[in-house]
Amino acid sequence: MEDNTSSTDYYQILQCERTASAEELKKSYQRLVLLFHPDKKDEKDSDKLFLLIQKAWSVLRDPNSRRQYDAELTCQEHSELLIYETISLDQMQYDAVEDIYMYTCRCGGTYLLDRSDTMPAKVIIGCDECSFSIEVNS
Ligand SMILES: [Zn+2]
């Protein structure tokens, strides 16, 4: 399900960098909640902002939903990426030794996907040799 808030940058709302640790996000969230709590009626738009902060936190607090959100952000930013192919996860070759999924690029390079990275519904991987990327849907 798409929702129209996906273009909102939750990191901006929480005033954090995308590389922020879970701890940093939490601290920032707690600080903002105190600042914009609806009980403090001194700011007109604080209710709306408070809800946004809650929404941002609900997505970023969970490592899985944060990873998925990061993948969506990356997709939006790299919409100009050269997508070589869109495949599903089962089209990739699974290497049980390395615990990694592999897919060969047309240049002979390889797309690598860590099994731990397969939680998002969709992930973009760059080739290790050329500028092409593939989109993998799990
Ligand atoms: Zn390549």
Side-chain angles (χ1 to χ4, degrees):
M1 272 244 300
E2 284 288 322
D3 74 71
N4 55 14
T5 59
S6 64
S7 59
T8 312
D9 189 329
Y10 292 152
Y11 290 99
Q12 261 175 30
I13 292 166
L14 292 185
Q15 299 178 8
C16 281
E17 297 292 324
R18 292 207 191 142
T19 50
S21 67
E23 190 58 30
E24 284 170 322
L25 284 168
K26 189 178 180 180
K27 275 186 186 156
S28 196
Y29 163 73
Q30 288 170 338
R31 184 174 56 85
L32 291 167
V33 160
L34 288 176
L35 277 175
F36 296 106
H37 197 279
D39 287 351
K40 297 184 179 179
K41 289 291 185 190
D42 43 45
E43 245 187 279
K44 211 182 168 199
D45 290 330
S46 67
D47 276 16
K48 201 176 154 194
L49 193 57
F50 185 75
L51 288 176
L52 265 179
I53 292 164
Q54 294 293 351
K55 172 78 180 162
W57 175 239
S58 73
V59 170
L60 297 182
R61 67 183 298 181
D62 177 69
N64 286 334
S65 61
R66 182 181 176 182
R67 207 180 293 142
Q68 179 155 3
Y69 179 68
D70 285 349
E72 282 170 19
L73 273 186
T74 308
C75 277
Q76 285 166 17
E77 279 169 7
H78 299 282
S79 51
E80 79 283 4
L81 267 183
L82 297 161
I83 301 292
Y84 162 51
E85 246 184 291
T86 299
I87 62 169
S88 62
L89 191 59
D90 54 22
Q91 287 176 267
M92 297 189 84
Q93 196 185 341
Y94 178 59
D95 184 330
V97 179
E98 300 284 341
D99 196 22
I100 216 163
Y101 288 94
M102 294 183 299
Y103 193 75
T104 306
C105 181
R106 68 171 182 186
C107 76
T110 312
Y111 299 101
L112 295 172
L113 181 64
D114 259 321
R115 205 146 77 108
S116 57
D117 288 339
T118 59
M119 295 305 287
K122 184 165 87 174
V123 64
I124 306 280
I125 323 166
C127 174
D128 63 355
E129 295 282 336
C130 72
S131 57
F132 276 101
S133 294
I134 53 168
E135 181 183 310
V136 182
N137 299 292
S138 52

